Amino acid sequence: MKNSMTTKFLEVPKAATSSFERWIAKEYLAEYFSGLQEDERHVIQYFCNEMRSAQPGPVLFFGCGPGLNHVFLSAPYQTELVLADYLRTNLDELDTWLREKENAHDWSDFVRYTLVCESGVEPDQAAIDQRIAAIRAAKIRLMIADASASDPMGPASRGQFATVLSPFCAESITSDKGDWARYSRNIASLVRPGGLMLVAALRLSEQYRGGPPHFPPPNRA
């Protein structure tokens, strides 16, 4: 299936977190997204409910990692879809799925549950396939971004998005709560006036991993 996807790789400032050099996207997906876990059910339901107030326009998923778990709920609202992350390897993983390449991750359980949350009805396979096709056919940009920068995606992106979703991002790249707050403000600068920003954060989590290294979030209480 063809789409109008473009990829833009910005230079990442050296001040950004360097510990992710050992990050392995496929191991992260295998660890947390081999199936639909209970916490993801709550997040998807929350986002689906809140998106009902979203204005049509460009939708940004900031710090999406290699995951499309929340992207499918944007289909009824987005005129353009931007997937932004700090790591090129994560964007490569997204590209694998978007272009229907071999060994792409299977997101069908997440699509099915998204449709359940939207309609309250169990979807058939045709509805699941239709939502997958809608995302693959969308106008999509893949961009490298850095939450530690005052303009995380460059000055041209400031205040440009009708909706920004950034779950488990700002607090997952630092163990310092002050940095967490600063990164969150930087991400929020991407929302246009009157737009919508949706976030979710880890709670009571000691660490998470994406390959051999473990990463400590600041929100441990």
Side-chain angles (χ1 to χ4, degrees), residues 40-113:
E40 268 299 300
R41 292 178 181 271
H42 290 291
V43 174
I44 292 172
Q45 179 69 74
Y46 168 68
F47 283 169
C48 284
N49 291 343
E50 294 301 314
M51 284 294 286
R52 293 187 174 98
S53 64
Q55 302 172 359
V59 176
L60 167 65
F61 288 85
F62 189 99
C64 55
L68 292 158
N69 40 314
H70 305 129
V71 172
F72 300 101
L73 57 86
S74 70
Y77 309 95
Q78 53 88 9
T79 57
E80 179 185 15
L81 185 58
V82 179
L83 308 179
D85 197 76
Y86 173 69
L87 295 178
R88 171 72 178 265
T89 54
N90 284 339
L91 298 183
D92 288 342
E93 189 65 33
L94 299 176
D95 181 82
T96 295
W97 186 90
L98 290 166
R99 298 188 187 276
E100 300 183 71
K101 295 180 182 178
E102 191 175 354
N103 298 322
H105 191 76
D106 181 7
W107 293 104
S108 55
D109 285 348
F110 294 83
V111 181
R112 182 198 63 78
Y113 188 68

Side-chain angles (χ1 to χ4, degrees), residues 20 167-175 180 183 200-202 208 215-218:
F20 287 89
F168 311 113
C169 173
E171 89 283 7
S172 296
I173 56 177
T174 179
S175 58
W180 178 9
Y183 298 167
L202 299 168
Y208 69 99
F215 305 92

Side-chain angles (χ1 to χ4, degrees), residues 139-158:
K139 180 182 179 182
I140 298 173
R141 285 187 288 155
L142 302 180
M143 295 184 66
I144 281 183
D146 177 13
S148 71
S150 58
D151 284 311
M153 296 165 59
S157 292
R158 178 175 283 266

